[in-house]
């Protein structure tokens, strides 16, 4: 039986618009659900906030995160950052052993493993907005690679500046991790290129001369993960000459072994670059 041309057109048209209609309906259905979780987000109960941030970060696409959710997450992040400072001050009080005796009950939720997950979710929710106005607070409180990949090229210069200006080793290490992730080949997510890539490589190479051996080692690892063949001469120099070493006793023989940790990291980095070049 022949189907009239008009009917065929109707069928084709319906098949084209059906997924869109379904998507619109599903997003419309999200409204009451998102409102329910927004109320949890603004709750004074940590377990409610935890549940809300899990939902917004794990269940929703970034385009479904509304301004009110992002702004409230930003407010929460600021508040939590202040509470973390207070929690650390109290937890370091001498003379009392149990954390429950040092810290007020309303801050004890920070001593739970779920708090780290919740805090990371807050950072990522804000990061998904990719708003430049939020870069400074994210660099201050959320210096993690995944957060800044949402910003792409906009985050390159601020992160480089953090590495160059900060006097805090932990901050510099975190900046290296972020920059390294921007260079790293990956199937999904931002990979820097062109001028930005050259700037990142230059600042990482500069960091391989830092007085802190952990900074040098992290920079070497990031350069190796990039797969950049142009870095081979620098890595070769480090593999042969980095001065840091420590001694340890071999458990089997009892002999003293000298280890050059940064040199060993440079050799691993050279091997990674070699393997990636062979795989091409």
């Amino acid at each position: 039986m022949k189907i009239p041309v008009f009917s065929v057109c109707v069928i084709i048209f319906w098949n084209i618009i059906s997924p869109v209609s379904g998507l619109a309906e599903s997003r419309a259905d999200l409204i009451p659900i998102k409102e329910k979780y927004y109320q949890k987000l603004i709750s004074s109960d940590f377990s409610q906030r935890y549940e809300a941030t899990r939902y917004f970060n794990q269940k929703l696409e970034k385009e479904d995160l509304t301004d009110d959710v992002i702004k409230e997450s930003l407010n929460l992040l600021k508040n939590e950052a202040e509470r973390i400072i207070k929690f650390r001050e109290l937890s370091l009080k001498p003379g009392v052993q149990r954390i429950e005796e040092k810290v007020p009950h309303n801050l004890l939720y920070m001593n739970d493993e779920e708090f780290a997950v919740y805090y990371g979710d807050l950072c990522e929710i804000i990061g998904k907005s990719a708003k430049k106005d939020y870069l400074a607070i994210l660099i201050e409180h959320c210096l993690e690679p995944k957060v800044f990949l949402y910003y792409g090229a906009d985050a390159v210069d601020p992160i480089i500046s953090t590495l160059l200006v900060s006097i805090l080793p932990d901050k510099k290490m975190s900046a290296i991790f972020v920059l390294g992730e921007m260079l790293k080949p990956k199937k999904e997510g931002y990979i820097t290129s062109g001028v930005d890539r050259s700037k990142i490589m230059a600042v990482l190479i500069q960091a391989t001369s830092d007085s802190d051996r952990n900074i040098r080692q992290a920079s070497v690892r990031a350069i190796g993960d990039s797969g950049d063949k142009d870095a081979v001469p620098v890595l070769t120099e480090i593999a042969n000459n980095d001065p840091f070493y420590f001694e340890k006793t071999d458990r089997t023989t009892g002999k003293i072994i000298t280890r050059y940790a940064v040199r060993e990291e440079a050799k691993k980095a050279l091997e990674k670059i070699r393997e990636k070049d062979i795989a091409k």
Side-chain angles (χ1 to χ4, degrees):
M1 180 179 70
K2 291 184 178 181
I3 301 175
V5 173
F6 174 76
S7 297
V8 171
C9 291
V10 170
I11 292 169
I12 293 173
F13 178 71
W14 177 251
N15 286 336
I16 291 172
I17 67 168
S18 288
V20 177
S21 299
L23 181 60
E25 288 175 2
S26 65
R27 285 194 170 164
D29 292 341
L30 278 176
I31 294 174
I33 299 173
K34 288 200 296 186
E35 176 58 28
K36 179 184 80 170
Y37 281 100
Y38 180 76
Q39 293 304 315
K40 290 176 179 287
L41 189 66
I42 62 177
S43 170
S44 60
D45 186 319
F46 170 70
S47 63
Q48 296 282 299
R49 300 200 303 277
Y50 173 83
E51 189 179 344
T53 52
R54 286 275 77 190
Y55 170 76
F56 286 123
N57 191 35
Q58 299 294 320
K59 301 296 185 182
L60 294 189
E61 300 296 330
K62 62 180 181 180
E63 57 267 24
D64 291 320
L65 291 170
T66 52
D67 284 344
D68 57 344
V69 170
I70 294 169
K71 288 178 180 177
E72 182 58 29
S73 296
L74 185 68
N75 290 333
L76 283 173
L77 179 67
K78 292 175 181 177
N79 292 335
E80 300 295 5
E82 291 177 1
R83 291 171 189 153
I84 287 172
I85 294 172
K86 186 67 175 176
F87 178 88
R88 286 175 178 168
E89 289 175 351
L90 294 171
S91 64
L92 293 174
K93 285 193 305 186
V96 183
Q97 296 302 314
R98 297 176 67 247
I99 192 73
E100 294 82 358
E101 297 176 45
K102 298 180 180 183
V103 177
H105 179 75
N106 66 328
L107 294 181
L108 281 176
Y109 69 91
M110 293 186 167
N111 200 41
D112 196 298
E113 289 181 4
E114 288 185 343
F115 179 75
V117 176
Y118 158 77
Y119 194 89
D121 282 336
L122 281 177
C123 292
E124 197 169 346
I125 290 167
I126 299 163
K128 285 176 180 178
S129 74
K131 291 186 177 181
K132 293 182 183 180
D133 292 346
Y134 301 156
L135 265 172
I137 191 168
L138 289 173
I139 289 173
E140 180 65 25
H141 300 295
C142 301
L143 202 47
E144 296 289 338
K146 194 171 184 179
V147 173
F148 293 94
L149 292 182
Y150 293 111
Y151 280 87
D154 288 337
V156 171
D157 286 340
I159 301 297
I160 286 177
S161 178
T162 300
L163 176 55
L164 293 175
V165 172
S166 180
I167 60 172
L168 301 174
D170 288 348
K171 198 84 168 178
K172 294 174 75 170
M173 288 281 284
S174 296
I176 289 169
F177 295 151
V178 175
L179 294 172
E181 192 64 31
M182 289 178 170
L183 291 177
K184 191 185 298 182
K186 58 182 79 69
K187 292 182 180 179
E188 295 181 355
Y190 173 72
I191 305 174
T192 190
S193 60
V195 174
D196 282 342
R197 188 174 185 86
S198 297
K199 287 193 293 187
I200 292 175
M201 285 298 298
V203 77
L204 289 178
I205 288 171
Q206 181 179 334
T208 63
S209 299
D210 195 277
S211 60
D212 187 321
R213 70 95 173 173
N214 291 309
I215 300 296
R216 299 202 303 277
Q217 192 167 348
S219 301
V220 165
R221 186 180 302 118
I223 292 169
D225 288 343
S226 76
D228 195 326
K229 290 192 294 182
D230 291 340
V232 167
V234 173
L235 293 174
T236 302
E237 173 69 18
I238 295 168
N240 292 328
N241 297 305
D242 187 88
F244 174 77
Y245 71 91
F246 64 92
E247 294 179 340
K248 61 179 292 186
T249 303
D250 186 287
R251 292 182 179 180
T252 304
T253 64
K255 293 181 178 179
I256 302 296
I257 300 173
T258 301
R259 295 282 304 273
Y260 288 85
V262 183
R263 293 186 190 186
E264 291 173 12
E265 195 69 58
K267 290 173 183 176
K268 291 178 187 176
L270 287 165
E271 184 61 22
K272 285 180 185 177
I273 291 173
R274 188 188 70 82
E275 289 175 354
K276 287 178 181 177
D277 189 41
I278 292 172
K280 287 182 179 178

